[in-house]
Structure formats: structure tokens, C-alpha cells
């Protein structure tokens, strides 16, 4: 059990988390934006996730097998990306990436939507592209989240993208890769209104503090993608201990 779980975890707090364990279960602990990530960093990421009870780790595709090996005896899920970070690969390429990740043991796939197709008005292609990965993921009992890259979309496009993702069977819609800017509570709330309870909402991009997480959860997020999960937990526990 993590040394971070102490008496402070049970303190009353005004945030939308019952305790630190509940907060921890929101996190997809990630290193996918780090092109220079080393094997040692991947191992550390996985060990942190197991220690603190995070929902998942998200690792570059080349490290999926490594993460699965480390976490196989834990409830932590292993995720990776498809069509990352721009989403403009052919659907056949995305399917191949997804199939390889699933073969190596991934439990979750975060795929980037074909943003150019959406902006071109080709909603049928957008849905077909998503469905091709969703069907493959679901055949292996894996969750599929669709990254919309909300910072590049108009409000109308965000709505259309979320609708198409749900129609294609996606388990979650996700705000951003983090490359085009951070998640906003306004976007999370919009996505929640569009998908209702038919899909989850994952907020990702620029989430680094307890206050950031609280805003996203209050807006409707079910999952939080961040590389700052351990620091956020520490902040939460220190704040409770001093309250």
C-alpha cells in the first residue's frame, strides 16, 4: 500500500472526491507525449500506478508489452494510442496499430479522430474510421476512447464529433492530445451534454493540480489523463492534512 495513504486521506474536503483512493481511480497515468521516454521511466510509471491505484497507464505503443508484464497481477489497465497525435492515418493503418496493441495485451486504446475529415464535412468517414477501431477493441474486451482534439474544433464540430463517436460505439470521448492546448471545463461540459450517459468523458491536456481535476470532474469528466497524477495526489493529501 502506498505510503501516501494516511490519516489525511480520510479528512473531510470540499472537493468532488471522497478520498485519495477515489481521486486516484480517475487517472490515466501517462507518458505518451514524451518522445524521449526511456524504459526506466516506463517502469517507474507502471510502479507508480500500481502503488497508488490509478485506473491505467498510457504508454507509447513500443512499451505496451513491457507495461503489461509489470502490471499483469494488478488491477491497473494498460493503454496506448492509435493514430497519435494527428489522426490522419488511413483507417487500415489505425486498425493495424490497434490490432498490434491488443495482441501485446493493451486493455484500452485512445485513438485520434480523423480531424481533417470532420472539418471537410465527411462525417461518414469520421464514423467509419472510429468504428473500425472500436469494433476491433471490443472484440478483445478493450475500451476505446476517441480523441477529438477540441482545441482545433468549432462548437458545432465538437458536437458533431462527439455524436459520431457515440454512434460508432466509442466508450469515451476525450478532449485533447495535449499538443494543441489543454482541456477546458467548458469543453468537458459540452461533451457531457452531447453524450449523456451513453459514453464516458475523458479530460486530458494541461491538468496539473487538484483544482484542475476538480473543475473537470464537476463539468462531467469520468477520467483524467495526466502525467502529473502523483503530484496531484500529493497536493490533495497535503491540503487535507492541513485543513
Amino acid at each position: 500500500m502506498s505510503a501516501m495513504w494516511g490519516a489525511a486521506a480520510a479528512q473531510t474536503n470540499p472537493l468532488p472526491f471522497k478520498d485519495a483512493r477515489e481521486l486516484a481511480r480517475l487517472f490515466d497515468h501517462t507518458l505518451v507525449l514524451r518522445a524521449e521516454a526511456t524504459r526506466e521511466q516506463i517502469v517507474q510509471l507502471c510502479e507508480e500506478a500500481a502503488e497508488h491505484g490509478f485506473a491505467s497507464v498510457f504508454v507509447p505503443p513500443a512499451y505496451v508489452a513491457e507495461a503489461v508484464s509489470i502490471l499483469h497481477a494488478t488491477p491497473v489497465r494498460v493503454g496506448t494510442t492509435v493514430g497519435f497525435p494527428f489522426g490522419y492515418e488511413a483507417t487500415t493503418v489505425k486498425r493495424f496499430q490497434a490490432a498490434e496493441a491488443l495482441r501485446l495485451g493493451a486493455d484500452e486504446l485512445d485513438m485520434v479522430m480523423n480531424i481533417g475529415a470532420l472539418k471537410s464535412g465527411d462525417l461518414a468517414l469520421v464514423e467509419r474510421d472510429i468504428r473500425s477501431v472500436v469494433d476491433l477493441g471490443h472484440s478483445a474486451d478493450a475500451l476505446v476512447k476517441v480523441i477529438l482534439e477540441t482545441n482545433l474544433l468549432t462548437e458545432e464540430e465538437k458536437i458533431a464529433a462527439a455524436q459520431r463517436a457515440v454512434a460508432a460505439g466509442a466508450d469515451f470521448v476525450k478532449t485533447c492530445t495535449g499538443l494543441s492546448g489543454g482541456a477546458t471545463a467548458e469543453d468537458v461540459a459540452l461533451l457531457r451534454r452531447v453524450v449523456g450517459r451513453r459514453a464516458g468523458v475523458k479530460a486530458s491536456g494541461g491538468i496539473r493540480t487538484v483544482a484542475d481535476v476538480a473543475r473537470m470532474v464537476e463539468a462531467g469528466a469520468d477520467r483524467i489523463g495526466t502525467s502529473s497524477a502523483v503530484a496531484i495526489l500529493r497536493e490533495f493529501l497535503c491540503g487535507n492534512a492541513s485543513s
Side-chain angles (χ1 to χ4, degrees), residues 119-138:
K119 286 188 164 290
S120 299
D122 195 346
L123 300 182
L125 173 56
V126 171
E127 184 174 336
R128 187 166 63 248
D129 187 62
I130 295 169
R131 188 182 300 279
S132 72
V133 175
V134 167
D135 288 349
L136 199 60
H138 287 178

Side-chain angles (χ1 to χ4, degrees), residues 55-157:
S56 74
V57 294
F58 263 76
V59 299
Y63 290 109
V64 168
E66 183 89 26
V68 169
S69 175
I70 295 168
L71 293 167
H72 74 279
T74 78
V76 179
R77 299 169 68 87
V78 175
T80 194
T81 55
V82 172
F84 192 85
F86 298 119
Y88 50 27
E89 292 84 354
T91 298
T92 50
V93 174
K94 289 182 178 178
R95 278 184 61 86
F96 178 80
Q97 291 177 337
E100 276 296 284
L102 295 168
R103 182 183 68 81
L104 294 171
D107 302 300
E108 303 195 4
L109 303 174
D110 280 20
M111 71 166 292
V112 184
M113 176 189 70
N114 189 323
I115 302 160
L118 181 81
K119 286 188 164 290
S120 299
D122 195 346
L123 300 182
L125 173 56
V126 171
E127 184 174 336
R128 187 166 63 248
D129 187 62
I130 295 169
R131 188 182 300 279
S132 72
V133 175
V134 167
D135 288 349
L136 199 60
H138 287 178
S139 72
D141 295 322
L143 294 177
V144 179
K145 310 190 200 81
V146 180
I147 305 172
L148 309 182
E149 206 68 329
T150 48
N151 293 304
L152 300 181
L153 307 180
T154 65
E155 182 169 326
E156 181 180 350
E157 288 167 342

